[in-house]
Amino acid sequence: MQNLTNSAEGARMPRVVFVGLASCFGCQINITNAEAHLVDVLGQIDLRYWQLTHSEPMPEEFDVAVVEGAVTTEEAVGTLLEVRRRASAVISIGACAATAGIPGMAAEGYLTRPVQVYGEHVPEACGTMCAPRPVSSVIDVDFEVACCPVDPLEFVRVLQQALYGSNSFRRTSTLCGECKRNERGCFYGRETLCLGMVTRSGCGARCPNLGRPCNGCAGLSPDANVPGARRVCERSGVPVARFDEALEMFNQTNPAISA
């Protein structure tokens, strides 16, 4: 990946914009919780636009675009195409941007959803709505920060990858390995549903470390064996229907869940 700090204009700081699509904006808010490091981070970039803080138009020129939220309108599609055209690097943050997340739960049978919410007259402010989908279904994404909400320090790490370049690969293993390294007992031994068997690793298994089963907010791992996970549920006294229903929360638009 190109080092964006080595620009043709010499020591110019990389220009960064934050774009919000369909989401609760919780990931952007959580980034500000990196209080001890935030000033240092801001000192490395030229923050040109942050939709959360003002309503001015997005600038014409920038180097890095950070995108939160799912694609739910044709206007969002157009915004992403413009973002991709202008940006040297695009970072998607949070489950909504990475997997369509919570908005993605409305993707199946989408055509009936607006009427269920608004009745016969959908407000013009909604624009031309479309079935929710992740950012990567519209444009190429260079970097991704998963989970709901994102870990602010993980965002800082990924932002530095975008700014300075990196040859590291994103993890594809499942969360179960992290639980084992943390020496946590398995929830399935207690007949408790956990999505760690199929969820992408990288968060350090924070929820299991707090005694809470994984709910899959990092999205389905490319290495996930969904049929095998269903068999584990059967052997452990966990209804397979509950597993499938839980898997849809953050993976509704991923065809692998129907494997």
PDB file of all heavy atoms in Angstrom, residues 48 63 82 87 97 118 120 151 159 226 242:
ATOM      1  N   ARG A  48     -10.273  17.048   6.931  1.00  0.00           N
ATOM      2  CA  ARG A  48     -10.959  17.991   6.063  1.00  0.00           C
ATOM      3  C   ARG A  48     -12.482  17.988   6.228  1.00  0.00           C
ATOM      4  O   ARG A  48     -13.140  18.986   5.948  1.00  0.00           O
ATOM      5  CB  ARG A  48     -10.635  17.661   4.599  1.00  0.00           C
ATOM      6  CG  ARG A  48      -9.229  18.005   4.168  1.00  0.00           C
ATOM      7  CD  ARG A  48      -9.037  19.512   4.135  1.00  0.00           C
ATOM      8  NE  ARG A  48      -7.717  19.907   3.686  1.00  0.00           N
ATOM      9  CZ  ARG A  48      -7.414  20.158   2.417  1.00  0.00           C
ATOM     10  NH1 ARG A  48      -8.329  20.019   1.470  1.00  0.00           N
ATOM     11  NH2 ARG A  48      -6.194  20.522   2.094  1.00  0.00           N
ATOM     12  N   ASP A  63      -7.316  12.355   0.582  1.00  0.00           N
ATOM     13  CA  ASP A  63      -6.469  11.177   0.377  1.00  0.00           C
ATOM     14  C   ASP A  63      -7.069   9.905   0.967  1.00  0.00           C
ATOM     15  O   ASP A  63      -7.000   8.838   0.360  1.00  0.00           O
ATOM     16  CB  ASP A  63      -5.083  11.424   1.001  1.00  0.00           C
ATOM     17  CG  ASP A  63      -4.407  12.640   0.432  1.00  0.00           C
ATOM     18  OD1 ASP A  63      -4.175  12.667  -0.793  1.00  0.00           O
ATOM     19  OD2 ASP A  63      -4.126  13.586   1.188  1.00  0.00           O
ATOM     20  N   GLU A  82     -18.176   8.419  -5.750  1.00  0.00           N
ATOM     21  CA  GLU A  82     -17.380   9.645  -5.721  1.00  0.00           C
ATOM     22  C   GLU A  82     -16.220   9.517  -4.738  1.00  0.00           C
ATOM     23  O   GLU A  82     -15.097   9.947  -5.018  1.00  0.00           O
ATOM     24  CB  GLU A  82     -18.255  10.840  -5.353  1.00  0.00           C
ATOM     25  CG  GLU A  82     -19.068  11.390  -6.497  1.00  0.00           C
ATOM     26  CD  GLU A  82     -18.162  11.904  -7.614  1.00  0.00           C
ATOM     27  OE1 GLU A  82     -17.289  12.761  -7.342  1.00  0.00           O
ATOM     28  OE2 GLU A  82     -18.319  11.431  -8.754  1.00  0.00           O
ATOM     29  N   ALA A  87     -10.449   9.169  -3.466  1.00  0.00           N
ATOM     30  CA  ALA A  87      -9.580   8.735  -2.372  1.00  0.00           C
ATOM     31  C   ALA A  87      -8.493   7.770  -2.849  1.00  0.00           C
ATOM     32  O   ALA A  87      -8.739   6.894  -3.686  1.00  0.00           O
ATOM     33  CB  ALA A  87     -10.401   8.073  -1.276  1.00  0.00           C
ATOM     34  N   ALA A  97     -20.936  -1.037   7.904  1.00  0.00           N
ATOM     35  CA  ALA A  97     -20.187  -0.813   6.674  1.00  0.00           C
ATOM     36  C   ALA A  97     -19.595  -2.117   6.142  1.00  0.00           C
ATOM     37  O   ALA A  97     -19.531  -2.332   4.929  1.00  0.00           O
ATOM     38  CB  ALA A  97     -19.075   0.207   6.905  1.00  0.00           C
ATOM     39  N   TYR A 118     -43.387   2.954   6.939  1.00  0.00           N
ATOM     40  CA  TYR A 118     -43.952   4.266   6.633  1.00  0.00           C
ATOM     41  C   TYR A 118     -45.388   4.230   6.106  1.00  0.00           C
ATOM     42  O   TYR A 118     -46.001   5.285   5.929  1.00  0.00           O
ATOM     43  CB  TYR A 118     -43.085   4.971   5.588  1.00  0.00           C
ATOM     44  CG  TYR A 118     -41.671   5.224   6.032  1.00  0.00           C
ATOM     45  CD1 TYR A 118     -40.617   4.479   5.519  1.00  0.00           C
ATOM     46  CD2 TYR A 118     -41.385   6.213   6.972  1.00  0.00           C
ATOM     47  CE1 TYR A 118     -39.310   4.715   5.926  1.00  0.00           C
ATOM     48  CE2 TYR A 118     -40.087   6.461   7.384  1.00  0.00           C
ATOM     49  CZ  TYR A 118     -39.050   5.696   6.855  1.00  0.00           C
ATOM     50  OH  TYR A 118     -37.767   5.926   7.251  1.00  0.00           O
ATOM     51  N   GLU A 120     -48.133   3.686   3.064  1.00  0.00           N
ATOM     52  CA  GLU A 120     -48.141   3.824   1.611  1.00  0.00           C
ATOM     53  C   GLU A 120     -47.287   4.976   1.098  1.00  0.00           C
ATOM     54  O   GLU A 120     -46.914   5.014  -0.067  1.00  0.00           O
ATOM     55  CB  GLU A 120     -49.586   4.009   1.124  1.00  0.00           C
ATOM     56  CG  GLU A 120     -50.475   2.803   1.357  1.00  0.00           C
ATOM     57  CD  GLU A 120     -49.973   1.566   0.623  1.00  0.00           C
ATOM     58  OE1 GLU A 120     -49.462   1.720  -0.503  1.00  0.00           O
ATOM     59  OE2 GLU A 120     -50.078   0.461   1.185  1.00  0.00           O
ATOM     60  N   ASP A 151     -13.312  -0.937  17.941  1.00  0.00           N
ATOM     61  CA  ASP A 151     -12.373  -0.598  19.004  1.00  0.00           C
ATOM     62  C   ASP A 151     -11.566   0.620  18.543  1.00  0.00           C
ATOM     63  O   ASP A 151     -10.972   0.586  17.466  1.00  0.00           O
ATOM     64  CB  ASP A 151     -11.437  -1.778  19.266  1.00  0.00           C
ATOM     65  CG  ASP A 151     -10.439  -1.482  20.373  1.00  0.00           C
ATOM     66  OD1 ASP A 151      -9.476  -0.723  20.100  1.00  0.00           O
ATOM     67  OD2 ASP A 151     -10.590  -1.997  21.485  1.00  0.00           O
ATOM     68  N   LEU A 159      -5.801   3.046  10.580  1.00  0.00           N
ATOM     69  CA  LEU A 159      -5.565   4.349   9.960  1.00  0.00           C
ATOM     70  C   LEU A 159      -4.080   4.539   9.679  1.00  0.00           C
ATOM     71  O   LEU A 159      -3.693   5.034   8.600  1.00  0.00           O
ATOM     72  CB  LEU A 159      -6.076   5.468  10.859  1.00  0.00           C
ATOM     73  CG  LEU A 159      -5.817   6.901  10.363  1.00  0.00           C
ATOM     74  CD1 LEU A 159      -6.522   7.146   9.040  1.00  0.00           C
ATOM     75  CD2 LEU A 159      -6.267   7.923  11.408  1.00  0.00           C
ATOM     76  N   VAL A 226     -19.847 -23.388   8.523  1.00  0.00           N
ATOM     77  CA  VAL A 226     -21.195 -23.190   9.059  1.00  0.00           C
ATOM     78  C   VAL A 226     -21.924 -24.526   9.268  1.00  0.00           C
ATOM     79  O   VAL A 226     -22.529 -24.730  10.334  1.00  0.00           O
ATOM     80  CB  VAL A 226     -22.003 -22.240   8.157  1.00  0.00           C
ATOM     81  CG1 VAL A 226     -23.438 -22.108   8.648  1.00  0.00           C
ATOM     82  CG2 VAL A 226     -21.344 -20.863   8.117  1.00  0.00           C
ATOM     83  N   ARG A 242     -31.904 -21.495  16.560  1.00  0.00           N
ATOM     84  CA  ARG A 242     -31.416 -20.328  17.296  1.00  0.00           C
ATOM     85  C   ARG A 242     -30.080 -19.862  16.737  1.00  0.00           C
ATOM     86  O   ARG A 242     -29.808 -18.659  16.631  1.00  0.00           O
ATOM     87  CB  ARG A 242     -31.263 -20.656  18.781  1.00  0.00           C
ATOM     88  CG  ARG A 242     -32.561 -20.657  19.579  1.00  0.00           C
ATOM     89  CD  ARG A 242     -32.267 -20.859  21.055  1.00  0.00           C
ATOM     90  NE  ARG A 242     -31.348 -19.856  21.552  1.00  0.00           N
ATOM     91  CZ  ARG A 242     -30.459 -20.083  22.529  1.00  0.00           C
ATOM     92  NH1 ARG A 242     -30.382 -21.279  23.111  1.00  0.00           N
ATOM     93  NH2 ARG A 242     -29.662 -19.129  22.943  1.00  0.00           N
TER      94      ARG A 242
END
